[in-house]
Amino acid sequence: MRVRVAGSWMVAMLALAIASLTTPARAGGPTGTEARRPEIQTDPVESARDARALAARIDAVLAARWAKAGIRPAAISDDGEFLRRVSLDLVGKIPTAAEARDFLDDPAPGKRAALIDRLLDSPAYTSHATEVWRRMLLPEADTDDDARPFASTFAGWLRRKVVEDAGYDRIVREILTAKLDAPQSDLDIANGVVRAVPSPSPAAYYLAKGRKPESLAAGTARVFLGVRLECAQCHNHPFASWKREQFWSLAAFFAEVPGEGNDPTRMMRRERPAPVRELTIPGTKKVVAATLLDGTKPEWRPRAGTREILAEWVTSPENPYFARALVNRVWARFLGAGLIEPVDDLDGETDPELKALLDEVSDQFRAHGDRLKFLIRTLTATRAYHLSSAGNGAGRDTSATGPMFATMPVRGLTPLQLFDSLTRATGSGQPGDRARFLELFSGGQERPSEAETTIVQALTLMNGSYIEAATNPTTGRILGAIVDAPFLDTRGRIETLFLATLTRRPTPDEMAKLVEYVERRKSNDDRSKALADIFWAILNGPEFPLNH
Amino acid sequence: MNRDLFRASRLSRREAMRLSVASAMGVLGASSSGWFEALAADAASHPGRRKSCILLWMSGGPSQTDTFDPKPGHANSGPFKAIETAVPGIRMGPHLPKLAKQMKDLALIRSMNTKEGDHSRATYYLRTGYLPQGAVRYPTLGSLVANELDDDSVELPGFVSIGPVRSINPAAFSSGFLGPKCASLNVGERTIAGATAGDGGASSLRVDDMEIPRGIGRTRADDRIGLMRELGGGFVESRPGVPTSSHRSAYSRAVRMMRSEAAKAFDLDTEPAALQDAYGRNPFGQGCLLARRLVERGVPFVEVTLSSVDGNSNGGLGWDTHAQNFDAVAKLCEVLDAGWSTLMTDLRTRGLLDQTLIVWMGEFGRTPKINENAGRDHFPNAWSTVLAGGGLRGGQAIGDTGVDGEQIKNRPVSVPDLLATIVKGLGIDPMKQNLATDGRPIRIVDLKAEPIKEVLG
């Protein structure tokens, strides 16, 4: 049984006490914006058709671009490469050996599209998508101890949104209008014991930003609008036209956010002070009023909160930045580079062709209810997404011309993708391993296509206890099963090792050499060790820890 | 062989040869051993000792008014009373008494003028010498120096970073277009704020997993690495780029280190307990001790980050003292003073101080005016950095910020000026050009840089 409880943030977060039982209003309900929206396509069959049509449009634009630059794109990926890629991208881990075998041996011509549908409907997609959203919206939880405890309430809330297939506009509106003064915890009554647990809520967004108007403004601009305003915090932006005053005018929308030093009992006294909609720029005497980034004065309404007005403007169909910022990021996630780079700066220079393409995809995204799945169906149906990552030329060096998307870039895995894939490939994992891996492999490049292996990571994967146990036939679950399987010969064992790790069968050349490597041993024990060596070599090799 | 990986490196031929020898000797053939030997068989003559650099990186932006540019008698000093140093006329903040005694080996630069007040951008600027712009990935200082001074006969990486908090801006800690061969070995890295091992001691600075697991043995380990290279060779060849080349590079470096005696550098317990005490039993102090051991073994660039004390993390930006500045600075200075001053004494005793340039800097300074929370805010207009040892002219203060510290009165020093001074002090031409990924030549330090000649002597 779950009961809603109101209390102060600290109370809720620490789950220490329950102040009073009330029925607070639903956090962040829909605002008036939806009424004004143009018609939205929600029928799944129609949407899927539209996604394919949009993918074809993207294909045409890119093909023209390749022709103009005289570039021949890479070959279409083979089934193994594609299965591995789409599994990592949609569910965050590689497929099992059995899944790989089934897919490779499936003769159906439409199997790639069917696979995407299957993955998008799987529970693993929900977990992975929640994690991807969380990393985008609450990146602080990865790097900041103080923010970490809030990741779970935020993720719990996000998970609900993913399950509901909520539109991106609604997700952002709920964040921007999150109730902060009456935080909630759920009363969890199990076995007669009552515990207060923080309710899933987007309010962690504010805590992770230290509840500072300037951090909230910078985050809002960068993530939701693809506009980098941080520098305008201290001085006028040297390149773009953002001014310091504009920055603080945006921050003023968050002037009311209860700060750290605030009296936590303030709200319980039910005071209703007049809304605060202005800020003093620190270090100056200048007071600025909440003003939208495009310079318009907000139209306040008696019953609409300050942040509600901001949320309406941010997610409004007329706001050119909102959908583009997201589409550009998701594009980069699936195709290795954004249409505009860096991905969180839509003011960045780009080719007009690519900018027009971003506009077109963004408009379609909005016309389909800001649904992420529509965007994913579109991008994964493009030819660019199906291209191989192999090949030396094909417009890899794109700094002069902007990205060509003519070869799939090789991308590093996130720490979680790597760990989940290792776990899947080896069947091993102790409770402490996960945290250690996430710690060791985080902090790297922001751009997956420039991911670097560090020396310490190499040492851990070569000599660390996790890999040691996983590559020992007596302790490694998957390896042990393959080594002991009575129905497999050496070739079958080697093939299964490849399918379980690299989602492909060995090439004839690899197979010949590896069979020899195993069979030249006399005893069964030595042959097992040789298979363990192969497993170790694959896990440590360059192909396993990369999405290609 | 991937050209990018070895381009513009004086090590290129030897390194390339070694890699091809190793892959040609594929373990699947008759000779299944030899990879390690091929790596270890570098009996190259030591080309004479070069200079090294130790960067003490003050994450968050340290207050100059409370450290190296005190304003005695002015309200901006707050509760701190400046102390005399070994050089008459030059004073310091009250919590650096041991360093004050070594003033004759320090050159204070009190007139930094850098105009960048955002942590992320300023961190990038100070650590690369360039503002983040366009597609060029500028290398961090350590990578630039390692690229010039790394000695191939030394089996340790040319750039070791101790306790970095890379998450503030990963690009500011990256080897950028110089590529993975110049990337840092990170020890005691903090991905999260706060102490890594919690003990504040040497164990958090160990490099884990350097030993081949028991029961595997050297021959088998050798076979495994050979297999790995052989199986991965085609993948790397067909997919050139940072992810694949950095994988190859990191594994080569890791394997060399595993086989090397030099890796004993990380075993701080061989040092006398009294010396460990003097450095300070905390990650920064022990990091300084490790830095000395690494420099002694020929590592050209080591950086030690001071990001927190007492497990009080402040988001990895320990010097970001917007509130309660004086308590925080006192604690940070206590750790800093012990670690840094012992490092100088220790290097001097070993005859290494003149060959080791120590740099103290953060991403910016802090407002001389004290805010309403007894804190100080970001201040890139007029702040301090320090150079020490390295054969530079110590015992002097460059620049002047007047009685209140709010404006530079003379001799403004820019980021390129500072970096050019450091690089030149190490015997490197700051105007030398490296090739960026797109083939564009990029100088080690920006063309408009002017090294501080008073310091270089």
Side-chain angles (χ1 to χ4, degrees):
Chain A
M1 178 184 148
R2 303 205 125 194
V3 184
R4 304 237 119 182
V5 178
S8 79
W9 259 113
M10 291 314 292
V11 173
M13 283 304 160
L14 301 172
L16 287 177
I18 297 118
S20 62
L21 274 165
T22 62
T23 320
R26 245 189 84 221
T31 66
T33 324
E34 251 157 11
R36 285 189 276 120
R37 303 208 50 167
E39 217 172 299
I40 284 167
Q41 179 59 262
T42 52
D43 178 70
V45 178
E46 295 279 312
S47 281
R49 203 197 52 205
D50 292 349
R52 285 195 299 276
L54 183 56
R57 266 292 296 152
I58 295 170
D59 288 351
V61 171
L62 292 182
R65 205 171 148 72
W66 299 334
K68 203 165 73 186
I71 285 174
R72 210 172 51 154
I76 295 290
S77 56
D78 63 33
D79 282 342
E81 187 176 8
F82 183 77
L83 170 62
R84 195 172 202 271
R85 176 187 304 163
V86 81
S87 301
L88 284 165
D89 286 342
L90 295 189
V91 297
K93 57 190 161 201
I94 59 170
T96 64
E99 284 165 359
R101 204 186 301 269
D102 287 351
F103 186 77
L104 293 178
D105 294 344
D106 180 358
K111 66 179 179 181
R112 290 194 180 190
L115 167 70
I116 290 166
D117 286 339
R118 200 163 64 238
L119 292 175
L120 283 176
D121 287 339
S122 69
Y125 169 79
T126 304
S127 304
H128 182 61
T130 301
E131 171 64 13
V132 170
W133 280 115
R134 202 279 304 150
R135 226 168 346 115
M136 178 182 128
L137 297 168
L138 200 75
E140 295 88 351
D142 287 333
T143 52
D144 184 352
D145 253 0
D146 300 335
R148 190 163 300 198
F150 309 124
S152 66
T153 59
F154 192 77
W157 167 79
L158 266 178
R159 195 178 176 87
R160 288 183 186 173
K161 302 299 130 191
V162 174
V163 169
E164 293 164 13
D165 195 19
Y168 177 58
D169 55 337
R170 199 175 114 209
I171 293 177
V172 171
R173 273 201 306 276
E174 289 191 18
I175 291 174
L176 287 179
T177 59
K179 290 266 184 289
L180 303 174
D181 44 4
Q184 293 155 358
S185 52
D186 288 350
L187 267 193
D188 198 14
I189 305 173
N191 304 327
V193 182
V194 182
R195 285 183 315 137
V197 293
S199 324
S201 157
Y205 182 80
Y206 295 79
L207 293 165
K209 306 236 181 293
R211 290 176 279 196
K212 291 182 190 149
E214 59 271 33
S215 307
L216 289 160
T220 297
R222 190 168 59 82
V223 177
F224 301 146
L225 301 173
V227 171
R228 285 209 166 185
L229 280 181
E230 288 98 323
C231 334
Q233 185 174 339
C234 303
H235 48 72
N236 292 337
H237 198 295
F239 309 117
S241 50
W242 306 109
K243 295 274 187 279
R244 189 171 170 208
E245 241 180 84
Q246 264 176 304
F247 174 83
W248 286 100
S249 306
L250 181 67
F253 279 98
F254 298 101
E256 270 186 315
V257 170
E260 270 176 59
N262 282 14
D263 175 3
T265 64
R266 180 171 67 97
M267 298 324 287
M268 284 179 221
R269 296 198 301 269
R270 305 237 170 252
E271 285 170 16
R272 279 245 168 246
V276 181
R277 288 164 174 164
E278 55 185 35
L279 271 186
T280 309
I281 299 180
T284 70
K285 297 203 162 49
K286 193 163 179 64
V287 176
V288 290
T291 311
L292 297 164
L293 270 186
D294 59 6
T296 53
K297 295 272 178 221
E299 291 174 29
W300 306 113
R301 297 193 304 273
R303 302 195 63 81
T306 308
R307 286 181 287 127
E308 208 172 318
I309 301 290
L310 175 67
E312 282 175 18
W313 178 79
V314 167
T315 62
S316 148
E318 285 83 45
N319 185 333
Y321 287 104
F322 178 65
R324 280 156 189 73
L326 181 83
V327 169
N328 195 42
R329 271 171 184 273
V330 177
W331 181 292
R333 196 158 74 70
F334 280 87
L335 293 161
L339 290 162
I340 298 182
E341 288 278 343
V343 288
D344 56 358
D345 189 0
L346 293 184
D347 290 325
E349 285 174 34
T350 193
D351 191 303
E353 246 168 40
L354 296 181
K355 193 169 177 304
L357 187 57
L358 177 60
D359 290 349
E360 187 173 345
V361 179
S362 303
D363 290 346
Q364 286 289 312
F365 173 65
R366 299 231 73 170
H368 289 81
D370 295 19
R371 297 294 197 281
L372 187 66
K373 280 189 181 176
F374 170 80
L375 194 52
I376 292 176
R377 277 183 213 282
T378 301
L379 296 178
T380 52
T382 59
R383 182 169 174 207
Y385 186 73
H386 287 250
L387 294 177
S388 174
S389 60
N392 287 299
R396 255 191 215 281
D397 186 13
T398 56
S399 40
T401 48
M404 280 290 162
F405 307 105
T407 303
M408 176 57 79
V410 174
R411 292 168 284 158
L413 302 185
T414 65
L416 197 56
Q417 277 176 325
L418 178 63
F419 184 75
D420 287 348
S421 296
L422 267 174
T423 307
R424 177 155 268 189
T426 65
S428 301
Q430 300 294 321
D433 292 337
R434 191 169 184 272
R436 178 164 152 63
F437 260 82
L438 297 192
E439 175 109 10
L440 178 65
F441 285 85
S442 66
Q445 282 297 320
E446 280 166 344
R447 292 163 57 102
S449 57
E450 285 162 5
E452 294 183 15
T453 307
T454 69
I455 296 169
V456 173
Q457 289 164 0
L459 288 169
T460 300
L461 288 175
M462 284 194 285
N463 304 326
S465 57
Y466 177 90
I467 296 290
E468 183 188 358
T471 56
N472 181 333
T474 56
T475 49
R477 275 187 47 217
I478 301 270
L479 177 64
I482 292 172
V483 165
D484 293 337
F487 50 87
L488 291 175
D489 59 5
T490 299
R491 297 181 68 85
R493 293 186 218 282
I494 291 169
E495 181 183 280
T496 313
L497 284 177
F498 269 70
L499 289 170
T501 50
L502 303 178
T503 322
R504 66 174 176 91
R505 296 190 162 98
T507 64
D509 186 46
E510 285 169 334
M511 181 63 101
K513 286 176 171 169
L514 293 173
V515 167
E516 202 278 322
Y517 183 81
V518 176
E519 302 245 306
R520 72 172 183 244
R521 327 275 158 158
K522 299 286 181 284
S523 71
N524 274 343
D525 188 43
D526 283 348
R527 289 178 183 212
S528 299
K529 282 184 180 165
L531 287 165
D533 291 346
I534 294 170
F535 196 45
W536 184 97
I538 293 173
L539 295 176
N540 272 282
E543 193 171 344
F544 182 79
L546 295 171
N547 186 358
H548 65 93
Chain B
M1 197 58 54
N2 176 7
R3 265 185 327 132
D4 285 353
L5 180 53
F6 302 110
R7 191 165 54 185
S9 159
R10 64 187 185 82
L11 310 179
S12 57
R13 264 177 302 126
R14 249 198 289 175
E15 180 87 347
M17 211 163 64
R18 205 177 19 224
L19 286 170
S20 26
V21 166
S23 35
M25 297 204 307
V27 287
L28 301 172
S31 159
S32 73
S33 65
W35 162 250
F36 286 135
E37 284 69 18
L39 282 182
D42 196 331
S45 55
H46 206 283
R49 191 158 192 109
R50 289 160 181 274
K51 282 192 176 174
S52 292
C53 183
I54 297 175
L55 167 62
L56 307 178
W57 177 254
M58 302 295 116
S59 188
S63 163
Q64 73 285 352
T65 316
D66 306 314
T67 53
F68 295 103
D69 193 13
K71 297 298 166 194
H74 193 279
N76 285 350
S77 295
F80 281 10
K81 300 267 177 289
I83 57 171
E84 297 296 332
T85 69
V87 176
I90 298 181
R91 282 191 268 196
M92 273 188 201
H95 297 283
L96 300 168
K98 299 188 180 103
L99 272 173
K101 293 201 180 83
Q102 307 197 46
M103 182 61 221
K104 65 176 177 37
D105 284 316
L106 304 180
L108 314 182
I109 300 161
R110 287 174 164 169
S111 46
M112 293 301 301
N113 179 253
T114 53
K115 301 190 182 71
E116 197 54 63
D118 170 70
H119 285 293
S120 171
R121 285 174 60 88
T123 297
Y124 189 93
Y125 194 22
L126 266 291
R127 295 181 54 92
T128 67
Y130 290 88
L131 282 165
Q133 52 188 286
V136 180
R137 300 165 63 235
Y138 293 99
T140 190
L141 181 61
S143 298
L144 287 165
V145 171
N147 188 44
E148 299 300 321
L149 301 185
D150 194 8
D151 178 348
D152 199 29
S153 67
V154 175
E155 286 157 319
L156 293 165
F159 172 19
V160 179
S161 183
I162 302 169
V165 192
R166 285 191 295 160
S167 49
I168 287 155
N169 182 351
F173 292 77
S174 159
S175 56
F177 61 70
L178 288 177
K181 70 180 164 45
C182 296
S184 55
L185 165 66
N186 302 317
V187 186
E189 172 159 22
R190 279 118 211 280
T191 51
I192 45 166
T196 42
D199 62 350
S203 65
S204 60
L205 301 181
R206 243 187 0 232
V207 179
D208 289 330
D209 303 324
M210 207 116 70
E211 306 286 323
I212 296 166
R214 256 191 290 277
I216 297 301
R218 179 152 167 187
T219 316
R220 215 173 140 204
D222 214 5
D223 281 357
R224 287 177 161 196
I225 288 164
L227 266 180
M228 173 188 85
R229 296 213 154 246
E230 183 134 343
L231 290 177
F235 184 82
V236 172
E237 293 294 321
S238 65
R239 290 160 174 91
V242 173
T244 44
S245 65
S246 85
H247 184 274
R248 188 189 321 232
S249 202
Y251 272 80
S252 296
R253 285 290 202 173
V255 168
R256 288 190 74 190
M257 241 172 42
M258 279 162 62
R259 312 303 299 185
S260 113
E261 287 295 304
K264 292 210 171 75
F266 296 98
D267 188 4
L268 300 183
D269 285 337
T270 57
E271 294 285 341
L275 187 64
Q276 293 183 52
D277 288 344
Y279 271 99
R281 299 273 185 172
N282 55 70
F284 178 78
Q286 298 300 298
C288 287
L289 172 56
L290 176 55
R292 188 220 83 209
R293 291 173 62 87
L294 291 167
V295 161
E296 228 174 6
R297 286 163 174 79
V299 176
F301 196 98
V302 183
E303 64 184 20
V304 191
T305 296
L306 177 50
S307 64
S308 66
V309 288
D310 292 353
N312 180 7
S313 63
N314 207 359
L317 299 166
W319 291 94
D320 195 24
T321 50
H322 288 285
Q324 308 308 322
N325 168 77
F326 299 96
D327 298 345
V329 169
K331 284 181 186 155
L332 285 157
C333 279
E334 192 185 337
V335 167
L336 177 69
D337 194 42
W340 183 1
S341 67
T342 308
L343 175 64
M344 292 191 34
T345 318
D346 203 5
L347 286 169
R348 199 183 290 112
T349 311
R350 288 158 199 266
L352 291 172
L353 186 58
D354 281 349
Q355 298 154 41
T356 310
L357 172 56
I358 300 170
V359 180
W360 179 88
M361 68 185 191
E363 65 266 40
F364 39 60
R366 308 205 74 82
T367 45
K369 271 213 180 70
I370 301 160
N371 70 22
E372 64 272 27
N373 299 318
R376 298 187 190 272
D377 302 316
H378 304 179
F379 194 62
N381 302 9
W383 58 290
S384 303
T385 57
V386 181
L387 303 177
L392 301 187
R393 280 182 53 194
Q396 57 173 335
I398 308 293
D400 178 8
T401 57
V403 288
D404 55 9
E406 286 170 29
Q407 270 177 351
I408 293 174
K409 297 297 176 200
N410 64 36
R411 191 77 179 87
V413 174
S414 69
V415 172
D417 294 345
L418 174 69
L419 265 62
T421 311
I422 295 168
V423 165
K424 202 153 198 271
L426 295 169
I428 302 166
D429 175 9
M431 292 299 121
K432 190 196 150 182
Q433 296 180 336
N434 289 308
L435 290 183
T437 320
D438 60 0
R440 196 187 329 172
I442 301 214
R443 292 174 203 280
I444 293 180
V445 184
D446 192 272
L447 181 60
K448 58 178 184 281
E450 284 179 33
I452 309 168
K453 52 183 186 310
E454 305 92 296
V455 173
L456 290 168

